[in-house]
Short mmCIF file of all heavy atoms in Angstrom, two decimals:
data_model
loop_
_atom_site.label_atom_id
_atom_site.label_comp_id
_atom_site.label_asym_id
_atom_site.label_seq_id
_atom_site.Cartn_x
_atom_site.Cartn_y
_atom_site.Cartn_z
N MET Z 15 271.81 211.18 84.78
CA MET Z 15 271.94 209.98 83.93
C MET Z 15 270.96 208.91 84.44
O MET Z 15 270.81 208.73 85.63
CB MET Z 15 273.38 209.46 84.00
CG MET Z 15 273.65 208.35 82.98
SD MET Z 15 275.34 207.74 83.12
CE MET Z 15 276.19 208.94 82.10
N ALA Z 16 270.29 208.25 83.51
CA ALA Z 16 269.31 207.24 83.89
C ALA Z 16 269.97 206.08 84.63
O ALA Z 16 271.15 205.80 84.44
CB ALA Z 16 268.60 206.73 82.65
N LYS Z 17 269.15 205.43 85.43
CA LYS Z 17 269.64 204.24 86.13
C LYS Z 17 269.96 203.15 85.12
O LYS Z 17 269.24 202.95 84.16
CB LYS Z 17 268.57 203.75 87.09
CG LYS Z 17 268.37 204.65 88.29
CD LYS Z 17 269.00 204.03 89.53
CE LYS Z 17 269.08 204.99 90.69
NZ LYS Z 17 267.74 205.34 91.19
N PRO Z 18 271.01 202.39 85.36
CA PRO Z 18 271.33 201.29 84.44
C PRO Z 18 270.33 200.14 84.58
O PRO Z 18 269.76 199.93 85.65
CB PRO Z 18 272.73 200.86 84.87
CG PRO Z 18 272.85 201.29 86.30
CD PRO Z 18 272.00 202.52 86.43
N VAL Z 19 270.15 199.41 83.48
CA VAL Z 19 269.29 198.23 83.49
C VAL Z 19 270.04 197.05 82.89
O VAL Z 19 270.99 197.21 82.13
CB VAL Z 19 268.00 198.45 82.67
CG1 VAL Z 19 267.14 199.56 83.30
CG2 VAL Z 19 268.30 198.77 81.22
N ASN Z 20 269.58 195.86 83.23
CA ASN Z 20 269.97 194.65 82.51
C ASN Z 20 268.93 194.42 81.43
O ASN Z 20 267.77 194.80 81.59
CB ASN Z 20 269.99 193.44 83.43
CG ASN Z 20 271.03 193.56 84.53
OD1 ASN Z 20 270.72 193.32 85.68
ND2 ASN Z 20 272.24 193.92 84.20
N ALA Z 21 269.31 193.82 80.33
CA ALA Z 21 268.37 193.60 79.23
C ALA Z 21 268.51 192.18 78.71
O ALA Z 21 269.61 191.63 78.64
CB ALA Z 21 268.65 194.59 78.10
N ALA Z 22 267.36 191.60 78.31
CA ALA Z 22 267.38 190.25 77.76
C ALA Z 22 266.49 190.19 76.52
O ALA Z 22 265.49 190.91 76.43
CB ALA Z 22 266.87 189.24 78.79
N VAL Z 23 266.87 189.36 75.59
CA VAL Z 23 266.04 189.07 74.42
C VAL Z 23 265.85 187.56 74.36
O VAL Z 23 266.82 186.80 74.36
CB VAL Z 23 266.70 189.56 73.12
CG1 VAL Z 23 265.90 189.10 71.92
CG2 VAL Z 23 266.81 191.08 73.11
N GLY Z 24 264.59 187.15 74.34
CA GLY Z 24 264.31 185.72 74.28
C GLY Z 24 264.93 184.95 75.42
O GLY Z 24 265.34 183.80 75.27
N GLY Z 25 265.00 185.57 76.58
CA GLY Z 25 265.51 184.88 77.75
C GLY Z 25 267.02 184.87 77.89
O GLY Z 25 267.55 184.33 78.83
N THR Z 26 267.71 185.50 76.92
CA THR Z 26 269.17 185.55 76.99
C THR Z 26 269.60 186.95 77.43
O THR Z 26 269.28 187.93 76.78
CB THR Z 26 269.80 185.25 75.62
OG1 THR Z 26 269.39 183.96 75.21
CG2 THR Z 26 271.32 185.31 75.68
N TRP Z 27 270.31 187.03 78.51
CA TRP Z 27 270.77 188.33 78.99
C TRP Z 27 271.87 188.84 78.09
O TRP Z 27 272.77 188.10 77.69
CB TRP Z 27 271.22 188.24 80.44
CG TRP Z 27 270.05 187.95 81.33
CD1 TRP Z 27 269.69 186.74 81.81
CD2 TRP Z 27 269.04 188.87 81.75
NE1 TRP Z 27 268.52 186.86 82.53
CE2 TRP Z 27 268.11 188.15 82.51
CE3 TRP Z 27 268.84 190.24 81.57
CZ2 TRP Z 27 266.99 188.74 83.08
CZ3 TRP Z 27 267.73 190.84 82.14
CH2 TRP Z 27 266.82 190.09 82.90
N ILE Z 28 271.78 190.13 77.77
CA ILE Z 28 272.68 190.73 76.79
C ILE Z 28 273.90 191.32 77.51
O ILE Z 28 273.76 192.00 78.52
CB ILE Z 28 271.94 191.85 76.03
CG1 ILE Z 28 270.73 191.26 75.29
CG2 ILE Z 28 272.88 192.57 75.07
CD1 ILE Z 28 269.72 192.32 74.87
N CYS Z 29 275.07 191.06 76.93
CA CYS Z 29 276.29 191.71 77.41
C CYS Z 29 276.84 192.59 76.30
O CYS Z 29 276.68 192.29 75.11
CB CYS Z 29 277.36 190.68 77.79
SG CYS Z 29 276.95 189.75 79.28
N CYS Z 30 277.49 193.67 76.67
CA CYS Z 30 278.09 194.56 75.68
C CYS Z 30 279.11 193.80 74.84
O CYS Z 30 279.92 193.03 75.36
CB CYS Z 30 278.77 195.72 76.40
SG CYS Z 30 279.67 196.80 75.29
N LEU Z 31 279.07 194.05 73.53
CA LEU Z 31 280.00 193.37 72.62
C LEU Z 31 281.44 193.85 72.83
O LEU Z 31 282.38 193.15 72.48
CB LEU Z 31 279.61 193.66 71.17
CG LEU Z 31 278.30 193.04 70.69
CD1 LEU Z 31 278.01 193.51 69.27
CD2 LEU Z 31 278.38 191.53 70.74
N ILE Z 32 281.58 195.02 73.37
CA ILE Z 32 282.91 195.60 73.49
C ILE Z 32 283.54 195.30 74.85
O ILE Z 32 284.65 194.78 74.93
CB ILE Z 32 282.85 197.14 73.29
CG1 ILE Z 32 282.16 197.47 71.96
CG2 ILE Z 32 284.25 197.76 73.36
CD1 ILE Z 32 282.83 196.91 70.73
N CYS Z 33 282.82 195.65 75.91
CA CYS Z 33 283.43 195.55 77.24
C CYS Z 33 282.77 194.49 78.12
O CYS Z 33 283.16 194.33 79.27
CB CYS Z 33 283.41 196.92 77.93
SG CYS Z 33 281.76 197.43 78.47
N GLU Z 34 281.75 193.81 77.57
CA GLU Z 34 281.09 192.71 78.28
C GLU Z 34 280.33 193.15 79.52
O GLU Z 34 279.98 192.33 80.36
CB GLU Z 34 282.08 191.58 78.60
CG GLU Z 34 282.69 191.00 77.33
CD GLU Z 34 283.55 189.78 77.61
OE1 GLU Z 34 283.93 189.57 78.78
OE2 GLU Z 34 283.84 189.04 76.66
N SER Z 35 280.09 194.42 79.63
CA SER Z 35 279.22 194.89 80.72
C SER Z 35 277.80 194.41 80.45
O SER Z 35 277.39 194.25 79.30
CB SER Z 35 279.25 196.42 80.77
OG SER Z 35 278.18 196.90 81.58
N ASP Z 36 277.03 194.20 81.53
CA ASP Z 36 275.62 193.83 81.34
C ASP Z 36 274.70 194.97 81.77
O ASP Z 36 273.53 194.76 82.03
CB ASP Z 36 275.30 192.55 82.11
CG ASP Z 36 275.51 192.69 83.60
OD1 ASP Z 36 276.01 193.75 84.04
OD2 ASP Z 36 275.18 191.75 84.33
N GLN Z 37 275.25 196.17 81.85
CA GLN Z 37 274.45 197.31 82.29
C GLN Z 37 274.32 198.32 81.15
O GLN Z 37 275.31 198.70 80.53
CB GLN Z 37 275.09 197.97 83.51
CG GLN Z 37 275.13 197.01 84.70
CD GLN Z 37 275.75 197.64 85.93
OE1 GLN Z 37 275.85 198.85 86.03
NE2 GLN Z 37 276.16 196.80 86.86
N PHE Z 38 273.07 198.71 80.90
CA PHE Z 38 272.78 199.57 79.76
C PHE Z 38 271.86 200.71 80.16
O PHE Z 38 271.08 200.60 81.12
CB PHE Z 38 272.08 198.76 78.65
CG PHE Z 38 272.89 197.60 78.17
CD1 PHE Z 38 272.71 196.34 78.73
CD2 PHE Z 38 273.82 197.76 77.16
CE1 PHE Z 38 273.46 195.26 78.29
CE2 PHE Z 38 274.58 196.68 76.72
CZ PHE Z 38 274.40 195.43 77.28
N ARG Z 39 271.91 201.76 79.38
CA ARG Z 39 270.86 202.76 79.39
C ARG Z 39 269.99 202.49 78.17
O ARG Z 39 270.48 202.03 77.14
CB ARG Z 39 271.43 204.17 79.32
CG ARG Z 39 272.11 204.57 80.61
CD ARG Z 39 272.59 205.99 80.56
NE ARG Z 39 273.71 206.15 79.66
CZ ARG Z 39 273.81 207.14 78.75
NH1 ARG Z 39 272.85 208.02 78.64
NH2 ARG Z 39 274.86 207.23 77.98
N VAL Z 40 268.69 202.78 78.28
CA VAL Z 40 267.76 202.46 77.22
C VAL Z 40 267.29 203.73 76.54
O VAL Z 40 266.97 204.73 77.20
CB VAL Z 40 266.53 201.71 77.79
CG1 VAL Z 40 265.56 201.36 76.67
CG2 VAL Z 40 266.98 200.46 78.52
N ARG Z 41 267.24 203.71 75.23
CA ARG Z 41 266.75 204.87 74.51
C ARG Z 41 265.98 204.38 73.29
O ARG Z 41 266.44 203.52 72.56
CB ARG Z 41 267.95 205.71 74.05
CG ARG Z 41 267.53 206.98 73.38
CD ARG Z 41 268.45 208.12 73.75
NE ARG Z 41 267.81 209.35 73.31
CZ ARG Z 41 268.18 210.00 72.22
NH1 ARG Z 41 269.18 209.58 71.49
NH2 ARG Z 41 267.55 211.09 71.86
N GLU Z 42 264.80 204.94 73.11
CA GLU Z 42 264.03 204.60 71.91
C GLU Z 42 264.60 205.36 70.72
O GLU Z 42 264.93 206.54 70.82
CB GLU Z 42 262.57 204.97 72.11
CG GLU Z 42 261.70 204.50 70.97
CD GLU Z 42 260.22 204.78 71.24
OE1 GLU Z 42 259.78 204.55 72.38
OE2 GLU Z 42 259.54 205.22 70.31
N VAL Z 43 264.75 204.67 69.61
CA VAL Z 43 265.33 205.28 68.42
C VAL Z 43 264.33 205.15 67.28
O VAL Z 43 263.89 204.05 66.95
CB VAL Z 43 266.64 204.56 68.02
CG1 VAL Z 43 267.22 205.19 66.75
CG2 VAL Z 43 267.65 204.63 69.15
N LYS Z 44 263.96 206.29 66.69
CA LYS Z 44 263.08 206.25 65.53
C LYS Z 44 263.90 205.89 64.30
O LYS Z 44 264.82 206.61 63.94
CB LYS Z 44 262.41 207.61 65.33
CG LYS Z 44 261.46 208.00 66.45
CD LYS Z 44 260.16 207.25 66.35
CE LYS Z 44 259.21 207.75 67.43
NZ LYS Z 44 258.21 206.74 67.77
N LEU Z 45 263.53 204.80 63.67
CA LEU Z 45 264.34 204.36 62.53
C LEU Z 45 264.24 205.34 61.36
O LEU Z 45 265.18 205.52 60.62
CB LEU Z 45 263.89 202.98 62.08
CG LEU Z 45 264.25 201.87 63.07
CD1 LEU Z 45 263.74 200.54 62.54
CD2 LEU Z 45 265.73 201.78 63.33
N ASN Z 46 263.09 205.99 61.20
CA ASN Z 46 262.96 206.89 60.06
C ASN Z 46 263.73 208.19 60.26
O ASN Z 46 263.85 208.99 59.35
CB ASN Z 46 261.49 207.16 59.72
CG ASN Z 46 260.74 207.78 60.89
OD1 ASN Z 46 261.29 207.90 61.99
ND2 ASN Z 46 259.51 208.16 60.67
N SER Z 47 264.26 208.40 61.46
CA SER Z 47 265.12 209.56 61.64
C SER Z 47 266.57 209.10 61.81
O SER Z 47 267.43 209.85 62.20
CB SER Z 47 264.69 210.36 62.87
OG SER Z 47 264.83 209.58 64.04
N PHE Z 48 266.80 207.87 61.50
CA PHE Z 48 268.11 207.28 61.73
C PHE Z 48 268.85 207.11 60.41
O PHE Z 48 269.90 206.49 60.35
CB PHE Z 48 267.94 205.92 62.41
CG PHE Z 48 269.07 205.53 63.29
CD1 PHE Z 48 269.29 206.16 64.50
CD2 PHE Z 48 269.94 204.50 62.92
CE1 PHE Z 48 270.34 205.79 65.32
CE2 PHE Z 48 270.98 204.12 63.73
CZ PHE Z 48 271.19 204.78 64.94
N GLY Z 49 268.28 207.66 59.31
CA GLY Z 49 268.96 207.58 58.03
C GLY Z 49 268.84 206.23 57.37
O GLY Z 49 269.68 205.86 56.55
N LEU Z 50 267.78 205.50 57.70
CA LEU Z 50 267.66 204.15 57.14
C LEU Z 50 266.61 204.06 56.04
O LEU Z 50 266.27 202.98 55.60
CB LEU Z 50 267.30 203.16 58.25
CG LEU Z 50 268.37 202.96 59.32
CD1 LEU Z 50 267.86 201.99 60.39
CD2 LEU Z 50 269.66 202.43 58.73
N GLU Z 51 266.11 205.21 55.60
CA GLU Z 51 265.06 205.17 54.58
C GLU Z 51 265.49 204.44 53.32
O GLU Z 51 264.69 203.86 52.61
CB GLU Z 51 264.61 206.60 54.20
CG GLU Z 51 263.97 207.37 55.33
CD GLU Z 51 264.98 208.26 56.02
OE1 GLU Z 51 266.11 207.79 56.25
OE2 GLU Z 51 264.64 209.40 56.30
N PHE Z 52 266.77 204.48 53.06
CA PHE Z 52 267.26 203.88 51.81
C PHE Z 52 267.02 202.38 51.77
O PHE Z 52 267.04 201.77 50.71
CB PHE Z 52 268.74 204.18 51.61
CG PHE Z 52 269.63 203.55 52.66
CD1 PHE Z 52 270.19 202.30 52.43
CD2 PHE Z 52 269.91 204.21 53.84
CE1 PHE Z 52 271.00 201.72 53.39
CE2 PHE Z 52 270.73 203.63 54.80
CZ PHE Z 52 271.27 202.38 54.57
N LEU Z 53 266.77 201.79 52.91
CA LEU Z 53 266.51 200.36 52.91
C LEU Z 53 265.13 200.03 52.35
O LEU Z 53 264.86 198.90 51.99
CB LEU Z 53 266.62 199.81 54.34
CG LEU Z 53 268.02 199.82 54.91
CD1 LEU Z 53 268.01 199.36 56.37
CD2 LEU Z 53 268.96 198.94 54.10
N LYS Z 54 264.26 201.06 52.25
CA LYS Z 54 262.95 200.91 51.65
C LYS Z 54 262.18 199.72 52.22
O LYS Z 54 261.58 198.94 51.52
CB LYS Z 54 263.04 200.77 50.12
CG LYS Z 54 263.59 202.00 49.44
CD LYS Z 54 263.17 202.04 47.98
CE LYS Z 54 263.85 203.15 47.20
NZ LYS Z 54 263.83 204.45 47.86
N MET Z 55 262.22 199.62 53.50
CA MET Z 55 261.45 198.56 54.14
C MET Z 55 260.21 199.17 54.78
O MET Z 55 260.05 200.37 54.83
CB MET Z 55 262.31 197.83 55.17
CG MET Z 55 263.49 197.14 54.50
SD MET Z 55 264.51 196.24 55.66
CE MET Z 55 263.45 194.86 56.03
N ALA Z 56 259.35 198.32 55.26
CA ALA Z 56 258.04 198.76 55.75
C ALA Z 56 258.10 199.25 57.19
O ALA Z 56 257.12 199.28 57.88
CB ALA Z 56 257.04 197.62 55.64
N TRP Z 57 259.25 199.66 57.63
CA TRP Z 57 259.37 200.03 59.02
C TRP Z 57 259.53 201.54 59.19
O TRP Z 57 260.10 202.01 60.17
CB TRP Z 57 260.50 199.26 59.69
CG TRP Z 57 261.88 199.55 59.15
CD1 TRP Z 57 262.23 200.55 58.28
CD2 TRP Z 57 263.09 198.86 59.46
NE1 TRP Z 57 263.57 200.51 58.05
CE2 TRP Z 57 264.13 199.49 58.75
CE3 TRP Z 57 263.39 197.77 60.29
CZ2 TRP Z 57 265.45 199.05 58.84
CZ3 TRP Z 57 264.71 197.34 60.35
CH2 TRP Z 57 265.72 197.97 59.63
N ALA Z 58 258.99 202.30 58.22
CA ALA Z 58 259.19 203.74 58.26
C ALA Z 58 258.73 204.35 59.59
O ALA Z 58 259.32 205.29 60.08
CB ALA Z 58 258.46 204.40 57.11
N ASP Z 59 257.66 203.79 60.15
CA ASP Z 59 257.15 204.34 61.40
C ASP Z 59 257.60 203.54 62.61
O ASP Z 59 257.16 203.78 63.71
CB ASP Z 59 255.62 204.35 61.38
CG ASP Z 59 255.11 205.30 60.32
OD1 ASP Z 59 255.77 206.32 60.09
OD2 ASP Z 59 254.07 205.01 59.73
N GLU Z 60 258.45 202.58 62.34
CA GLU Z 60 258.82 201.70 63.44
C GLU Z 60 259.93 202.34 64.28
O GLU Z 60 260.72 203.12 63.80
CB GLU Z 60 259.30 200.37 62.88
CG GLU Z 60 259.28 199.28 63.92
CD GLU Z 60 259.10 197.90 63.30
OE1 GLU Z 60 259.25 197.78 62.08
OE2 GLU Z 60 258.82 196.99 64.04
N SER Z 61 259.96 201.96 65.52
CA SER Z 61 261.04 202.45 66.35
C SER Z 61 261.85 201.26 66.84
O SER Z 61 261.38 200.13 66.88
CB SER Z 61 260.51 203.25 67.53
OG SER Z 61 259.70 202.44 68.33
N ALA Z 62 263.07 201.55 67.16
CA ALA Z 62 263.96 200.51 67.66
C ALA Z 62 264.35 200.86 69.09
O ALA Z 62 264.18 201.99 69.53
CB ALA Z 62 265.20 200.40 66.80
N THR Z 63 264.85 199.88 69.77
CA THR Z 63 265.32 200.10 71.14
C THR Z 63 266.84 200.13 71.13
O THR Z 63 267.48 199.17 70.69
CB THR Z 63 264.83 198.98 72.07
OG1 THR Z 63 263.41 198.99 72.06
CG2 THR Z 63 265.32 199.21 73.49
N GLY Z 64 267.40 201.23 71.55
CA GLY Z 64 268.85 201.32 71.66
C GLY Z 64 269.28 201.02 73.08
O GLY Z 64 268.81 201.66 74.02
N LEU Z 65 270.13 200.03 73.22
CA LEU Z 65 270.71 199.73 74.53
C LEU Z 65 272.11 200.30 74.52
O LEU Z 65 272.98 199.82 73.81
CB LEU Z 65 270.74 198.22 74.78
CG LEU Z 65 269.40 197.51 74.84
CD1 LEU Z 65 269.62 196.01 75.02
CD2 LEU Z 65 268.55 198.06 75.97
N ILE Z 66 272.32 201.34 75.31
CA ILE Z 66 273.60 202.03 75.32
C ILE Z 66 274.42 201.51 76.49
O ILE Z 66 273.99 201.62 77.65
CB ILE Z 66 273.39 203.54 75.46
CG1 ILE Z 66 272.45 204.04 74.37
CG2 ILE Z 66 274.73 204.27 75.43
CD1 ILE Z 66 271.84 205.41 74.67
N CYS Z 67 275.54 200.93 76.18
CA CYS Z 67 276.38 200.38 77.26
C CYS Z 67 276.67 201.46 78.29
O CYS Z 67 277.10 202.57 77.96
CB CYS Z 67 277.68 199.83 76.69
SG CYS Z 67 278.79 199.24 77.99
N TYR Z 68 276.41 201.13 79.53
CA TYR Z 68 276.56 202.11 80.60
C TYR Z 68 278.02 202.50 80.78
O TYR Z 68 278.34 203.58 81.25
CB TYR Z 68 276.01 201.51 81.89
CG TYR Z 68 275.63 202.52 82.93
CD1 TYR Z 68 274.48 203.28 82.79
CD2 TYR Z 68 276.43 202.72 84.05
CE1 TYR Z 68 274.13 204.21 83.75
CE2 TYR Z 68 276.08 203.66 85.01
CZ TYR Z 68 274.93 204.39 84.85
OH TYR Z 68 274.58 205.32 85.79
N TRP Z 69 278.91 201.60 80.39
CA TRP Z 69 280.32 201.83 80.70
C TRP Z 69 281.11 202.33 79.50
O TRP Z 69 281.93 203.23 79.64
CB TRP Z 69 280.95 200.55 81.26
CG TRP Z 69 280.23 200.15 82.50
CD1 TRP Z 69 279.38 199.10 82.64
CD2 TRP Z 69 280.23 200.83 83.77
NE1 TRP Z 69 278.86 199.09 83.92
CE2 TRP Z 69 279.36 200.13 84.62
CE3 TRP Z 69 280.89 201.96 84.24
CZ2 TRP Z 69 279.14 200.54 85.94
CZ3 TRP Z 69 280.66 202.37 85.55
CH2 TRP Z 69 279.80 201.65 86.39
N CYS Z 70 280.91 201.77 78.31
CA CYS Z 70 281.74 202.20 77.18
C CYS Z 70 280.94 202.97 76.14
O CYS Z 70 281.52 203.55 75.23
CB CYS Z 70 282.45 201.01 76.53
SG CYS Z 70 281.40 199.99 75.48
N GLY Z 71 279.60 202.97 76.23
CA GLY Z 71 278.80 203.79 75.33
C GLY Z 71 278.43 203.13 74.03
O GLY Z 71 277.76 203.74 73.20
N TYR Z 72 278.86 201.90 73.80
CA TYR Z 72 278.50 201.22 72.56
C TYR Z 72 276.98 201.02 72.50
O TYR Z 72 276.36 200.63 73.49
CB TYR Z 72 279.20 199.87 72.50
CG TYR Z 72 279.00 199.15 71.19
CD1 TYR Z 72 279.77 199.49 70.08
CD2 TYR Z 72 278.03 198.16 71.06
CE1 TYR Z 72 279.58 198.84 68.87
CE2 TYR Z 72 277.83 197.51 69.85
CZ TYR Z 72 278.61 197.86 68.77
OH TYR Z 72 278.40 197.22 67.57
N VAL Z 73 276.39 201.30 71.32
CA VAL Z 73 274.94 201.22 71.18
C VAL Z 73 274.56 199.91 70.49
O VAL Z 73 275.01 199.63 69.38
CB VAL Z 73 274.38 202.40 70.36
CG1 VAL Z 73 272.86 202.26 70.20
CG2 VAL Z 73 274.72 203.71 71.05
N HIS Z 74 273.74 199.12 71.16
CA HIS Z 74 273.20 197.89 70.59
C HIS Z 74 271.77 198.20 70.19
O HIS Z 74 270.97 198.61 71.02
CB HIS Z 74 273.23 196.78 71.63
CG HIS Z 74 274.58 196.58 72.28
ND1 HIS Z 74 275.14 197.51 73.11
CD2 HIS Z 74 275.46 195.57 72.20
CE1 HIS Z 74 276.32 197.07 73.53
NE2 HIS Z 74 276.54 195.89 72.99
N LEU Z 75 271.46 198.03 68.91
CA LEU Z 75 270.17 198.47 68.39
C LEU Z 75 269.29 197.27 68.07
O LEU Z 75 269.69 196.38 67.32
CB LEU Z 75 270.41 199.31 67.13
CG LEU Z 75 269.26 200.20 66.66
CD1 LEU Z 75 268.87 201.20 67.73
CD2 LEU Z 75 269.71 200.93 65.40
N PHE Z 76 268.10 197.26 68.64
CA PHE Z 76 267.18 196.13 68.46
C PHE Z 76 265.86 196.60 67.89
O PHE Z 76 265.29 197.57 68.39
CB PHE Z 76 266.91 195.43 69.79
CG PHE Z 76 268.12 194.74 70.36
CD1 PHE Z 76 268.98 195.44 71.18
CD2 PHE Z 76 268.38 193.42 70.07
CE1 PHE Z 76 270.11 194.82 71.70
CE2 PHE Z 76 269.49 192.79 70.58
CZ PHE Z 76 270.36 193.49 71.40
N VAL Z 77 265.38 195.91 66.86
CA VAL Z 77 264.01 196.12 66.40
C VAL Z 77 263.23 194.93 66.91
O VAL Z 77 263.06 193.92 66.23
CB VAL Z 77 263.94 196.22 64.86
CG1 VAL Z 77 262.49 196.53 64.43
CG2 VAL Z 77 264.87 197.31 64.36
N ASN Z 78 262.84 195.03 68.14
CA ASN Z 78 262.23 193.89 68.82
C ASN Z 78 261.49 194.45 70.01
O ASN Z 78 262.07 195.12 70.86
CB ASN Z 78 263.35 192.93 69.27
CG ASN Z 78 262.81 191.68 69.91
OD1 ASN Z 78 261.68 191.65 70.41
ND2 ASN Z 78 263.58 190.63 69.91
N ARG Z 79 260.18 194.21 70.05
CA ARG Z 79 259.40 194.79 71.13
C ARG Z 79 259.43 193.95 72.39
O ARG Z 79 258.84 194.32 73.39
CB ARG Z 79 257.94 194.96 70.68
CG ARG Z 79 257.82 195.93 69.53
CD ARG Z 79 256.36 196.11 69.12
NE ARG Z 79 256.28 196.66 67.77
CZ ARG Z 79 256.58 197.90 67.47
NH1 ARG Z 79 256.97 198.73 68.39
NH2 ARG Z 79 256.51 198.33 66.22
N ASP Z 80 260.08 192.83 72.32
CA ASP Z 80 260.04 191.91 73.45
C ASP Z 80 261.31 191.91 74.28
O ASP Z 80 261.67 190.92 74.88
CB ASP Z 80 259.75 190.49 72.95
CG ASP Z 80 258.39 190.41 72.27
OD1 ASP Z 80 257.48 191.12 72.74
OD2 ASP Z 80 258.26 189.67 71.30
N ILE Z 81 261.99 193.03 74.25
CA ILE Z 81 263.17 193.12 75.10
C ILE Z 81 262.74 193.23 76.55
O ILE Z 81 261.85 194.00 76.89
CB ILE Z 81 264.03 194.33 74.70
CG1 ILE Z 81 264.61 194.10 73.31
CG2 ILE Z 81 265.16 194.56 75.70
CD1 ILE Z 81 265.41 195.28 72.81
N GLU Z 82 263.38 192.44 77.35
CA GLU Z 82 263.05 192.42 78.77
C GLU Z 82 264.07 193.29 79.51
O GLU Z 82 265.27 193.15 79.31
CB GLU Z 82 263.14 190.96 79.25
CG GLU Z 82 262.68 190.72 80.66
CD GLU Z 82 262.84 189.24 81.03
OE1 GLU Z 82 262.87 188.39 80.12
OE2 GLU Z 82 262.95 188.97 82.22
N LEU Z 83 263.57 194.20 80.32
CA LEU Z 83 264.46 195.11 81.04
C LEU Z 83 264.29 194.91 82.54
O LEU Z 83 263.19 194.70 83.02
CB LEU Z 83 264.14 196.56 80.68
CG LEU Z 83 264.31 196.91 79.21
CD1 LEU Z 83 263.80 198.33 78.98
CD2 LEU Z 83 265.73 196.76 78.75
N ARG Z 84 265.38 194.99 83.22
CA ARG Z 84 265.33 194.84 84.68
C ARG Z 84 266.28 195.84 85.31
O ARG Z 84 267.45 195.94 84.91
CB ARG Z 84 265.72 193.41 85.07
CG ARG Z 84 265.49 193.11 86.53
CD ARG Z 84 265.78 191.66 86.85
NE ARG Z 84 267.18 191.34 86.60
CZ ARG Z 84 267.69 190.12 86.67
NH1 ARG Z 84 266.92 189.10 86.93
NH2 ARG Z 84 268.97 189.91 86.45
N ARG Z 85 265.79 196.56 86.27
CA ARG Z 85 266.63 197.50 86.99
C ARG Z 85 267.80 196.80 87.64
O ARG Z 85 267.62 195.75 88.26
CB ARG Z 85 265.82 198.16 88.11
CG ARG Z 85 264.96 199.29 87.67
CD ARG Z 85 265.68 200.63 87.84
NE ARG Z 85 265.02 201.64 87.02
CZ ARG Z 85 263.91 202.26 87.39
NH1 ARG Z 85 263.39 202.02 88.56
NH2 ARG Z 85 263.35 203.14 86.60
N VAL Z 86 268.96 197.38 87.51
CA VAL Z 86 270.12 196.85 88.21
C VAL Z 86 269.98 197.20 89.69
O VAL Z 86 269.71 198.35 90.04
CB VAL Z 86 271.42 197.45 87.65
CG1 VAL Z 86 272.62 197.02 88.46
CG2 VAL Z 86 271.59 197.03 86.19
N LYS Z 87 270.16 196.22 90.50
CA LYS Z 87 270.08 196.48 91.94
C LYS Z 87 271.35 197.19 92.38
O LYS Z 87 272.45 196.77 92.08
CB LYS Z 87 269.93 195.16 92.71
CG LYS Z 87 268.61 194.48 92.46
CD LYS Z 87 268.39 193.37 93.49
CE LYS Z 87 267.09 192.61 93.18
NZ LYS Z 87 267.31 191.51 92.23
N THR Z 88 271.17 198.29 93.09
CA THR Z 88 272.34 199.05 93.53
C THR Z 88 272.38 199.11 95.05
O THR Z 88 271.38 198.92 95.71
CB THR Z 88 272.33 200.48 92.98
OG1 THR Z 88 271.06 201.07 93.26
CG2 THR Z 88 272.55 200.48 91.48
ZN1 LIG D 9 280.48 198.33 76.80
#
């Protein structure tokens, strides 16, 4: 399992919506393989960043290239 990271968007550190953990695993998600074609937007080739809560598994999905990631110190 990948090492957990902390993640921030626009300088705000993200906490899990469910369990309030600040530790995530990161996974790139291709939007065009995510069943979103019906939205007919110009992001067919775009990818999103999935932040998967390290503790409860909830996936926070961001279409934002400026997510800041930092290794959790262990
Ligand atoms: Zn969680």
Side-chain angles (χ1 to χ4, degrees):
M15 189 182 275
K17 289 255 169 67
V19 296
N20 296 132
V23 173
T26 301
W27 293 99
I28 299 163
C29 290
C30 175
L31 292 176
I32 306 300
C33 72
E34 300 186 344
S35 165
D36 61 354
Q37 297 181 18
F38 301 93
R39 288 184 290 134
V40 181
R41 184 142 192 257
E42 187 175 317
V43 179
K44 295 284 184 204
L45 290 179
N46 59 354
S47 63
F48 209 72
L50 295 178
E51 295 96 318
F52 65 93
L53 291 175
K54 295 202 188 312
M55 297 181 72
W57 64 11
D59 294 327
E60 198 153 14
S61 61
T63 300
L65 297 177
I66 305 162
C67 176
Y68 201 74
W69 300 107
C70 77
Y72 186 81
V73 178
H74 308 67
L75 197 59
F76 293 88
V77 183
N78 183 337
R79 296 181 199 288
D80 297 325
I81 293 177
E82 187 181 336
L83 299 174
R84 189 175 63 187
R85 279 266 162 80
V86 175
K87 293 193 184 87
T88 51

